Amino acid sequence: MNTIAEHIADFLKEYPPFDNLTFRELSEIATSIRVLNLEKNDTLFQINDKLHDCFYVVASGAIHLSVIADAEETLLNKCHAGDILGLRPFFAKNNYMMTAKAREESIVYGIPIATFRPFVANNPDVLNFLLESFANNTWNPKEKENLRSKLASDNISYVDQKSEMQYFQTLSYNRSPLTATINDTAKDIAFRMTENLSNSVVICENFLPIGIVTHTDMCSKIATGVFPLTITMKTIMSSPVVTVVENVSLAEAQLIMLKNNVTHLCVTLDGTDKSAVKGVISEHDLIIAQANNPGVLIKEIKRATSAKDLKHLRDRLTELIQNSIQKNIPLSNINNIASEINSAILKRSVELSILDLGSPPARFVWMSIGSQGRKEQLLLTDQDSMLIFEDVTPDKYRDVRDYFLKLAKRTTAILEKVGYELCPNGHMASNMLWCKSLTDWTKQYDNWMNTPGENSNDLSSIFFDLELIFGEKKIFEVIENVISKNLEHNVLFFDFLGNDALRKNAPLTFFKKFAVEEEEPNKNKFDIKTKALMPLIDGARLFALHFNIKALNNTYLRFKQLAIIDNKNSDIYLNCADAFLTLSKFRVNEGLKNENSGQFINLEELSKLDKEKLKNALAPMKELEELIKSNFKLTQFS
Amino acid sequence: MLDWLKNINKEYPDFWKTYLAKFEHKSNRFVVFTTETSGLNPEKDVILSIGSFAIINDCIQIGDSFETILLQYKYFHDNGLSNEFILESKMKKLSEPEAIQSFIDYIENAVLIGHHVDFDVDMINSALTKLGCGRLKNEALDIDVMYRKLMEINDKEFSLDELSAIFKLPKYYRNSPAEDAYTIALLFLKLKKRLGIK
């Protein structure tokens, strides 16, 4: 027993669970302690590290616990002096589920589990405390305040069970899946599956996954007698197999399954089928891991039978978005989830209309344009859509068009009931102008892009943010190609779009004050949509078209992608991407607060700090404007 | 200078032989130590107490420590000093030969760490000489030297208090050698990291 051990014992007895132990017991523990010094950003342990033989108490500094899901690191908890972390080795054998990283220079006490275990066994209070802190996570600030005991959990579960975003729940799945080759016979594999209690087997070639065989395949292809027991895997496997990266989150896994209509996902090293198999996620894994989450919402949306059902589900999405924002979940992630759910609602609305009207007389595609097309619609803003149907013979044309107009009218009406207002500019499929045959649409895009100035009043740039909601992908691709083709060497079009993007009113006055609305009803409020977000959205679209970036529609990702493609200006793009997220957050918060579209920010309610933040987010816009001017050789007067 | 000549054909105490034998291997252990002394002259002054901790894998091992007071009654008596603090202290108390022998057993072949460690080593060496042993063979690192190397400062020395302040260490009541040793250990871990010493 030395002086320092005494000091440490003195320190520990201030904090639970050590306050339940006698000083003699504490001294014994303190004597076996190891003291670690962590520099800023040093890692104490990482996700999937082997368990250490001790747990930790922060002596000074701050340690942040985070999880990684879908390539985003998310902070779960902050541990300060006296907080306990890394309790996993007490209760579980599997590797760490989170990462502990020093946020500042910190000193940490490592307490060997072997030393501490006897005290736990003899002292129910200590045991209860540890179990409690292992099982729940109090990083909700409100709770933290009135919580006597400070603790940091080591797994993630939420206090509030109602439509909770379990976006970052890590999935536990089978990490040693059965594998087979294409030449194995069904009978052998069935035996192996039975032995291993596994309901799927990954078919590999050179250790790379090429397909998967599940219970369903066995049942529908072998048990029915369609194929004999001696058939090889090659014939009955489902191929290609859908692959995901290792730390995929629950929600994401669910979305991928729904999207591809599969029940199993193959986990590989880099998420493609060109790398080694790491495990298999089955639908069952998801069911175990979920309570109420985006995936469930989508499932319910698919089953909804009326506009009322959809409205109810949309309200739950709002709740989910609000919770996620409170939880400081990155906006880009919330966007992904929300847009998937929004798409599902739109899709279901079209489906419901078809169920009412009977099947369509021709193939068609329903597309979202504008903010939903860009997958960045978090609030109930107005609906923008268009419809393209395939070309039919002239004698049928009228009937076909009438059917689709009816369909569109029904759909927009349903959406209006759900809470998406009708577009004031009439940019909807229910408008005759935007419900046309493929040939007419091709002409329309040709006109817009080759002679942009002539009927300028009806060229709205939102028609270049498209997302397929329902129908034939082929038709959609034709239009994409029309756009692509017209982009080549089209100086006029870019000139037009560039000027359109630059034509926005400046967000700040000459005296660096916010340029607020002068007229009621929004007097003295700041129009964040037109003065701050639109210029960034337009700029991102302009450059995305210019560099022909097709796959990414969303403003944030467009900027991110541009930073990669157009490397010399990457700083400007990255600043814009950040600014866009910041501004979006302001808008969403305002919208959630007042249950509207959040277009007008009430500056009086903002703190000084927030105003500064808002102003700073307006800075990159200037750089972007300069870039547009120089890139497309625009002067003020063209 | 010609110390080694004196030591030829000399029979060392057993504990010293054991200690020397340990240097066939390299150690992964560091021992941070500090001595409190009656003054600054290794020839005349004596060690009053020793405090030390071991560091393994960048962790200070609180259990692997050595802390003792040396009973220097003779020295106090000769110099007419009060020996009250010895009587009052709760720390382990050993006579100088016992303490030095235990200390040697404790440090083994570890790398020694200290603050102005040369002086501490000199003090231990002069105590060893009294016991008919050779000089310490351990490598020794000095945190003040490490810090000056890090900052490229040549014209100034830093006290332990100054270094603690620079690295914003929590204030400990530094009134025992163990507390000094603990502070030095923390500073060493920080400097080691910054200098990239493996």
Side-chain angles (χ1 to χ4, degrees):
Chain A
M1 179 67 191
N2 58 50
T3 333
I4 293 296
E6 261 177 65
H7 286 326
I8 293 177
D10 274 334
F11 169 87
L12 289 179
K13 76 166 193 285
E14 299 294 318
Y15 301 101
F18 306 104
D19 52 1
N20 293 318
L21 299 171
T22 64
F23 195 75
R24 242 202 54 239
E25 288 171 324
L26 282 176
S27 311
E28 195 178 323
I29 291 165
T31 309
S32 67
I33 274 181
R34 292 163 246 169
V35 184
L36 283 82
N37 167 64
L38 296 170
E39 298 297 311
K40 189 176 172 172
N41 292 334
D42 276 2
T43 314
L44 183 59
F45 53 79
Q46 252 180 321
I47 297 176
N48 257 336
D49 275 5
K50 283 244 176 323
L51 293 181
H52 298 180
D53 59 352
C54 54
F55 69 99
Y56 298 97
V57 180
V58 182
S60 67
I63 308 282
H64 279 191
L65 294 175
S66 58
V67 287
I68 293 173
D70 305 329
E72 290 270 7
E73 191 169 8
T74 307
L75 180 66
L76 288 175
N77 214 325
K78 301 173 182 174
C79 303
H80 301 289
D83 287 346
I84 294 181
L85 62 142
L87 282 170
R88 181 156 287 273
F90 259 110
F91 304 105
K93 293 277 170 281
N94 53 348
N95 297 352
Y96 285 112
M97 305 273 276
M98 43 176 79
T99 297
K101 217 180 200 174
R103 187 76 199 93
E104 52 192 66
E105 276 189 49
S106 309
I107 292 168
V108 177
Y109 297 142
I111 303 181
I113 304 275
T115 317
F116 199 68
R117 206 179 278 282
F119 298 107
V120 178
N122 307 332
N123 196 325
D125 290 345
V126 174
L127 179 64
N128 287 342
F129 177 87
L130 292 184
L131 276 171
E132 214 173 288
S133 65
F134 183 69
N136 86 35
N137 186 353
T138 54
W139 67 298
N140 171 341
K142 262 187 260 163
E143 275 209 270
K144 256 228 142 78
E145 280 165 30
N146 54 30
L147 197 81
R148 182 187 65 96
S149 51
K150 300 168 74 188
L151 41 91
S153 140
D154 194 353
N155 66 351
I156 313 144
S157 63
Y158 293 110
V159 192
D160 172 9
Q161 280 302 320
K162 203 164 160 240
S163 62
E164 193 51 85
M165 179 78 119
Q166 289 179 318
Y167 195 91
F168 295 108
Q169 173 145 2
T170 36
L171 268 176
S172 53
Y173 53 86
N174 180 359
R175 284 170 200 270
S176 51
L178 271 187
T179 56
T181 66
I182 49 173
N183 302 321
D184 288 332
T185 64
K187 191 174 173 180
D188 293 346
I189 294 300
F191 271 119
R192 281 181 58 200
M193 282 164 81
T194 314
E195 259 167 47
N196 288 289
L197 298 176
S198 163
N199 60 8
S200 67
V201 54
V202 182
I203 313 298
C204 294
E205 204 169 37
N206 308 327
F207 304 107
L208 302 181
I210 52 167
I212 189 163
V213 171
T214 64
H215 265 178
T216 321
D217 295 313
M218 287 290 192
C219 192
S220 64
K221 293 168 185 165
I222 311 292
T224 51
V226 174
F227 293 105
L229 288 174
T230 50
I231 195 78
T232 57
M233 291 293 121
K234 191 174 176 172
T235 321
I236 61 167
M237 72 181 180
S238 316
S239 176
V241 62
V242 183
T243 52
V244 291
V245 278
E246 277 185 287
N247 50 18
V248 68
S249 69
L250 170 63
E252 192 75 358
Q254 187 128 27
L255 290 170
I256 293 168
M257 278 193 197
L258 289 165
K259 215 172 187 162
N260 296 297
N261 203 9
V262 293
T263 53
H264 290 77
L265 300 174
C266 177
V267 182
T268 59
L269 198 56
D270 66 357
T272 68
D273 55 8
K274 299 285 176 285
S275 66
V277 181
K278 287 292 210 175
V280 166
I281 300 176
S282 69
E283 220 169 10
H284 185 67
D285 294 328
L286 300 191
I287 292 166
I288 286 172
Q290 78 190 22
N292 189 353
N293 68 14
V296 175
L297 269 182
I298 290 199
K299 267 204 157 134
E300 288 186 37
I301 288 167
K302 287 188 167 184
R303 286 202 303 263
T305 53
S306 68
K308 214 170 104 195
D309 288 355
L310 286 175
K311 179 173 171 30
H312 173 68
L313 290 161
R314 183 63 185 75
D315 291 345
R316 273 170 62 186
L317 170 64
T318 306
E319 221 172 83
L320 191 133
I321 291 170
Q322 194 150 3
N323 279 330
S324 315
I325 285 185
Q326 276 169 355
K327 285 221 156 30
N328 266 331
I329 288 169
L331 202 66
S332 47
N333 283 331
I334 305 176
N335 260 336
N336 288 344
I337 291 284
S339 72
E340 290 291 344
I341 295 176
N342 267 326
S343 300
I345 291 176
L346 296 173
K347 189 173 174 176
R348 188 61 191 164
S349 306
V350 180
E351 275 172 4
L352 287 174
S353 310
I354 292 177
L355 287 175
D356 279 350
L357 291 174
S359 51
R363 282 176 299 182
F364 76 104
V365 62
W366 179 286
M367 292 198 269
S368 271
I369 54 182
S371 64
Q372 176 59 245
R374 288 192 305 273
K375 300 191 178 177
E376 50 200 32
Q377 188 184 46
L378 288 174
L379 299 156
L380 279 158
T381 52
D382 53 2
Q383 33 171 320
D384 301 300
S385 54
M386 57 188 268
L387 190 149
I388 308 173
F389 52 88
E390 67 177 333
D391 292 308
V392 290
T393 49
D395 55 309
K396 285 193 193 144
Y397 178 81
R398 260 194 91 109
D399 292 345
V400 171
R401 196 195 59 182
D402 287 348
Y403 170 91
F404 284 117
L405 271 175
K406 243 195 243 153
L407 174 79
K409 281 208 170 74
R410 260 177 192 281
T411 309
T412 48
I414 291 176
L415 289 170
E416 195 183 12
K417 282 190 193 121
V418 174
Y420 300 93
E421 285 169 29
L422 298 174
C423 175
N425 308 327
H427 289 140
M428 290 179 298
S430 54
N431 181 338
M432 281 216 350
L433 282 172
W434 316 129
C435 174
K436 291 197 277 221
S437 70
L438 185 52
T439 312
D440 290 348
W441 268 115
T442 310
K443 276 192 205 133
Q444 177 74 67
Y445 273 101
D446 283 344
N447 279 341
W448 270 338
M449 297 178 73
N450 297 324
T451 52
E454 283 178 23
N455 300 320
S456 63
N457 54 354
D458 66 16
L459 163 55
S460 175
S461 47
I462 61 170
F463 284 98
F464 293 90
D465 297 328
L466 304 170
E467 195 203 3
L468 185 149
I469 295 296
F470 189 97
E472 274 303 315
K473 196 164 180 205
K474 284 200 184 72
I475 302 179
F476 176 67
E477 282 166 354
V478 171
I479 286 295
E480 270 195 321
N481 291 333
V482 169
I483 295 174
S484 267
K485 195 178 82 241
N486 279 325
L487 284 175
E488 287 164 24
H489 315 298
N490 196 334
V491 182
L492 200 61
F493 175 64
F494 284 119
D495 194 298
F496 183 87
L497 273 192
N499 276 317
D500 193 48
L502 295 176
R503 208 176 290 127
K504 304 286 183 291
N505 294 330
L508 296 176
T509 63
F510 182 75
F511 300 105
K512 294 274 174 278
K513 291 252 188 305
F514 287 106
V516 293
E517 300 299 294
E518 291 169 2
E519 305 284 317
E520 286 298 346
N522 295 307
K523 201 172 154 107
N524 293 336
K525 288 187 182 168
F526 177 64
D527 181 351
I528 197 167
K529 180 180 171 184
T530 9
K531 286 183 175 153
L533 287 162
M534 284 313 260
L536 291 174
I537 293 168
D538 287 343
R541 179 191 306 115
L542 175 63
F543 281 108
L545 287 167
H546 177 67
F547 289 107
N548 208 352
I549 300 172
K550 266 196 211 151
L552 302 166
N553 268 349
N554 136 353
T555 304
Y556 174 75
L557 290 176
R558 275 172 173 171
F559 278 127
K560 286 278 208 197
Q561 187 66 19
L562 285 166
I564 297 167
I565 294 179
D566 185 10
N567 202 340
K568 62 181 186 299
N569 297 315
S570 70
D571 283 355
I572 299 180
Y573 295 130
L574 291 176
N575 289 341
C576 287
D578 287 344
F580 181 76
L581 283 189
T582 310
L583 294 166
S584 304
K585 208 158 183 173
F586 272 109
R587 180 178 173 179
V588 172
N589 280 329
E590 188 77 21
L592 291 172
K593 210 160 50 188
N594 308 319
E595 296 190 340
N596 59 14
S597 71
Q599 180 170 352
F600 296 97
I601 301 282
N602 187 348
L603 295 169
E604 284 153 21
E605 288 175 4
L606 291 187
S607 67
K608 221 180 154 114
L609 186 71
D610 278 344
K611 276 187 203 161
E612 278 310 302
K613 236 168 115 177
L614 183 55
K615 250 181 214 174
N616 288 340
L618 298 172
M621 203 189 300
K622 271 263 160 294
E623 295 174 328
L624 187 69
E625 279 176 13
E626 292 309 313
L627 195 61
I628 292 173
K629 280 180 197 164
S630 66
N631 208 329
F632 301 104
K633 303 191 177 50
L634 300 173
T635 55
Q636 279 308 81
F637 312 104
S638 65
Chain B
M1 279 301 287
L2 296 174
D3 266 355
W4 62 273
L5 270 179
K6 288 186 210 159
N7 295 339
I8 278 184
N9 300 333
K10 190 167 164 194
E11 190 54 42
Y12 286 129
D14 284 345
F15 81 88
W16 189 250
K17 284 190 210 155
T18 321
Y19 162 76
L20 290 179
K22 285 175 181 152
F23 281 86
E24 286 165 18
H25 310 287
K26 211 167 154 39
S27 168
N28 65 346
R29 184 164 165 258
F30 295 93
V31 168
V32 184
F33 84 110
T34 182
T35 58
E36 283 180 325
T37 58
S38 59
L40 294 175
N41 183 344
E43 301 300 317
K44 292 202 183 69
D45 284 303
V46 291
I47 301 174
L48 303 176
S49 65
I50 301 176
S52 58
F53 284 101
I55 296 181
I56 298 171
N57 294 335
D58 289 359
C59 296
I60 305 171
Q61 313 284 323
I62 299 294
D64 190 356
S65 67
F66 178 84
E67 187 179 32
T68 184
I69 283 188
L70 282 70
L71 298 166
Q72 303 286 11
Y73 290 128
K74 184 176 178 308
Y75 177 87
F76 285 112
H77 184 264
D78 293 352
N79 289 284
L81 295 167
S82 140
N83 56 15
E84 213 165 314
F85 91 94
I86 298 183
L87 300 174
E88 279 185 5
S89 171
K90 291 195 207 60
M91 252 189 276
K92 187 167 66 176
K93 306 181 180 81
L94 298 171
S95 65
E96 184 175 297
E98 281 173 325
I100 295 297
Q101 186 176 334
S102 312
F103 181 67
I104 294 296
D105 291 347
Y106 167 75
I107 61 172
E108 300 183 321
N109 57 345
V111 178
L112 297 176
I113 315 289
H115 176 260
H116 300 156
V117 73
D118 300 352
F119 173 73
D120 295 307
V121 171
D122 283 345
M123 289 303 294
I124 300 281
N125 280 340
S126 74
L128 283 167
T129 313
K130 292 181 203 165
L131 297 177
C133 304
R135 304 165 68 86
L136 283 175
K137 287 190 59 160
N138 308 60
E139 253 183 273
L141 295 172
D142 183 331
I143 57 162
D144 185 23
V145 173
M146 285 167 82
Y147 178 69
R148 282 181 295 173
K149 189 172 158 185
L150 180 74
M151 304 307 287
E152 295 175 352
I153 299 171
N154 305 320
D155 52 356
K156 184 171 183 256
E157 290 199 336
F158 292 88
S159 72
L160 193 49
D161 284 330
E162 282 170 328
L163 289 173
S164 297
I166 289 166
F167 284 95
K168 301 191 184 64
L169 283 185
K171 284 268 177 289
Y172 292 103
Y173 304 104
R174 293 200 6 239
N175 50 19
S176 78
E179 283 157 332
D180 277 356
Y182 182 71
T183 307
I184 294 168
L186 287 174
L187 287 167
F188 171 69
L189 287 178
K190 289 182 187 297
L191 286 161
K192 180 170 178 275
K193 181 103 194 180
R194 283 174 172 71
L195 288 164
I197 300 171
K198 278 283 161 283

